[in-house]
């Protein structure tokens, strides 16, 4: 196996261990301490939305007109409907823009 | 092992499996598009087994982000599981240590939600039920990844068939799924602004950590919202 591919395997294993740590960690935490400090809890609570936003906003701003338009359409759908429908409608939108409009 | 409980678990997990299947296939296809081999994609689904974070992982890997930052981001996206495992601890106290390890490995969002609901309703959370529910989601997830990855190999230019918009839209859907949380709007606003600015001034991949850190710090500094939080942790849809 070439070293680059080996690095990817290590990366996946590390990601798996990190994930397992989150799934086991709460159990360990709750059996050790009774209460999490409120500010720490607020910070932890914000982690997923904060991380995921950094993957959305730059794509919207720098991704080009077609991507931004598709994301806007998907956003409108996402306020009411499932993620699967967002993907479907967003995909249709970008295909229309790329192959029909432009 | 109790066969009836195991079967009840299989039945309960079946609809979850169906609704997660397209995402498994999507992950497989996008993973290959981001430089994974088919085997890598299947290996990741089998070992990490957390859809949203797997998508984050391949996106960052595809953008040549440093490995430690990829792992940290996977960890961050999965952080909600800490709340889940803390919350179901009371229901699975009677599991043996091996059973607990296996149970935590399988602890995806719907598994948490159903375990919690079963416990609240006073139904017994047996290991047989838990395992049935978990495995009927776990194995198809791997299989769907394989199917998606094989399909992904056939695709020449992902942009021509619009595959490139699916990840940002998927992440957008995930962000929306957190919108009931405290301080959602200020956190998203500051993370969005900071990540866009960091992309411009510092460059990828630093926009991820800088933008995330800004949102997390803001959440810690804002005065607490007066809302009593009791009972189980809220569940967000993973897929």
């Amino acid at each position: 196996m070439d070293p680059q591919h080996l690095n990817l395997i290590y990366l996946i294993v590390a990601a798996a261990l990190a994930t397992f740590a989150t799934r086991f960690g709460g159990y360990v935490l709750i059996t050790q301490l009774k209460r999490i400090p409120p500010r720490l809890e607020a910070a932890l609570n914000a982690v997923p939305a904060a991380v995921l936003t950094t993957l959305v906003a730059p794509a919207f701003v720098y991704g080009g007109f077609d991507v931004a338009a598709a994301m806007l359409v998907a956003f409108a759908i996402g306020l009411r409907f499932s993620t699967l429908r967002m993907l479907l409608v967003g995909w249709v939108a970008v295909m229309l823009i790329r192959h029909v409009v432009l | 092992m109790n066969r009836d409980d195991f079967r009840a678990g299989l039945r309960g997990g079946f609809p979850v499996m169906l609704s997660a299947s397209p995402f498994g296939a999507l992950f497989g296809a996008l993973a290959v598009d981001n430089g994974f081999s088919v085997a890598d994609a299947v290996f990741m689904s089998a070992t990490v087994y957390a859809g949203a974070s797997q998508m984050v992982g391949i996106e960052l890997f595809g953008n040549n982000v440093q490995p430690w930052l990829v792992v940290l981001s996977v960890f961050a996206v999965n952080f909600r599981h800490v709340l889940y495992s803390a919350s179901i601890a009371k229901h699975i106290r009677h599991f043996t240590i091996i059973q607990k390890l296996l149970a935590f490995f399988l602890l995806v969002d719907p598994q948490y939600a159903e375990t919690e609901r079963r416990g609240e309703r006073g139904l017994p959370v047996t290991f047989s039920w838990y395992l049935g529910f978990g495995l009927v989601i776990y194995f198809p997830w791997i299989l769907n990844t394989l199917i998606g990855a094989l399909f992904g190999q056939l695709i020449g230019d992902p942009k021509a068939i619009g595959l490139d918009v699916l990840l940002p839209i998927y992440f957008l859907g995930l962000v929306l799924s957190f919108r009931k949380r405290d301080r959602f709007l200020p956190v998203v606003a500051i993370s969005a602004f900071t990540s866009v600015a960091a992309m411009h001034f510092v460059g990828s991949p630093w926009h991820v950590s800088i933008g995330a850190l800004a949102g997390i710090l803001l959440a810690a500094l804002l005065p607490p919202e007066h809302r009593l939080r009791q009972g189980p942790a809220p569940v967000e849809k993973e897929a």
Side-chain angles (χ1 to χ4, degrees):
Chain A
M1 203 180 280
D2 69 294
Q4 197 137 30
H5 193 216
L6 200 61
N7 283 343
L8 175 57
I9 300 293
Y10 285 141
L11 177 66
I12 294 173
V13 170
L17 290 175
T19 302
F20 187 73
T22 66
R23 287 176 176 162
F24 197 45
Y27 179 80
V28 174
L29 215 64
I30 203 79
T31 46
Q32 297 302 315
L33 72 161
K34 288 287 158 258
R35 193 89 193 93
I36 304 168
R39 283 200 190 277
L40 178 62
E41 196 188 343
L44 296 181
N45 206 25
V47 169
V51 173
L52 290 163
T53 299
T54 68
L55 300 176
V56 175
F60 180 77
V61 175
Y62 302 114
F65 165 75
D66 46 359
V67 171
M71 287 176 77
L72 268 185
V73 173
F75 174 75
I77 297 292
L79 292 176
R80 289 285 304 277
F81 302 102
S82 68
T83 308
L84 208 52
R85 233 176 277 191
M86 286 176 76
L87 287 166
L88 200 68
V89 176
W91 177 77
V92 169
V94 88
M95 290 303 274
L96 281 177
I97 296 169
R98 279 179 193 165
H99 298 284
V100 181
V101 181
L102 298 181
Chain B
M1 283 293 284
N2 178 320
R3 284 191 135 175
D4 287 342
D5 278 7
F6 186 75
R7 269 196 215 116
L10 289 180
R11 271 197 305 277
F14 189 77
V16 176
M17 178 273 281
L18 286 184
S19 64
S21 290
F23 295 100
L26 181 65
F27 167 75
L30 295 177
V32 168
D33 178 36
N34 277 278
F36 276 46
S37 71
V38 174
D40 297 333
V42 170
F43 181 60
M44 191 178 199
S45 275
T47 54
V48 177
Y49 186 45
S53 71
Q54 289 178 226
M55 299 280 197
V56 171
I58 56 170
E59 156 91 2
L60 296 178
F61 177 81
N63 288 316
N64 296 314
V65 171
Q66 296 93 322
W68 66 271
L69 211 57
V70 178
V71 175
L72 191 67
S73 303
V74 167
F75 183 75
V77 171
N78 284 328
F79 209 85
R80 66 192 184 287
H81 293 117
V82 172
L83 300 174
Y84 296 173
S85 69
S87 190
I88 67 161
K90 57 185 178 293
H91 300 307
I92 65 164
R93 198 154 283 162
H94 57 283
F95 286 16
T96 66
I97 183 69
I98 301 291
Q99 290 175 338
K100 274 177 191 154
L101 290 176
L102 193 55
F104 289 128
F105 175 73
L106 293 172
L107 187 60
V108 290
D109 305 70
Q111 181 93 42
Y112 161 70
E114 271 309 302
T115 303
E116 195 68 67
R117 204 165 69 160
R118 218 175 145 81
E120 299 287 309
R121 276 157 59 198
L123 291 166
V125 177
T126 61
F127 181 68
S128 302
W129 172 83
Y130 192 103
L131 195 65
F133 193 96
L135 292 184
V136 78
I137 307 171
Y138 178 71
F139 286 115
W141 176 255
I142 298 172
L143 185 68
N144 283 309
T145 301
L146 175 65
I147 293 168
L150 291 173
F151 174 74
Q153 270 190 322
L154 306 176
I155 299 166
D157 177 16
K159 230 181 146 166
I161 63 159
L163 271 193
D164 57 312
V165 290
L166 295 183
L167 270 183
I169 291 177
Y170 176 78
F171 293 138
L172 176 64
L174 285 174
V175 171
L176 282 178
S177 74
F178 292 108
R179 67 183 184 273
K180 297 270 157 55
R181 284 198 177 187
D182 292 351
R183 306 177 184 82
F184 173 78
L185 275 181
V187 166
V188 165
I190 191 89
S191 287
F193 178 79
T194 314
S195 63
V196 168
M199 181 83 121
H200 182 78
F201 292 110
V202 189
S204 180
W206 292 103
H207 65 288
V208 177
S209 5
I210 296 172
L213 200 62
I216 294 162
L217 278 178
L218 180 76
L221 294 177
L222 282 179
E225 278 176 24
H226 290 287
R227 198 167 85 189
L228 280 180
R229 267 278 204 77
Q230 275 173 347
V235 190
E236 277 92 15
K237 267 194 318 172
E238 167 125 38

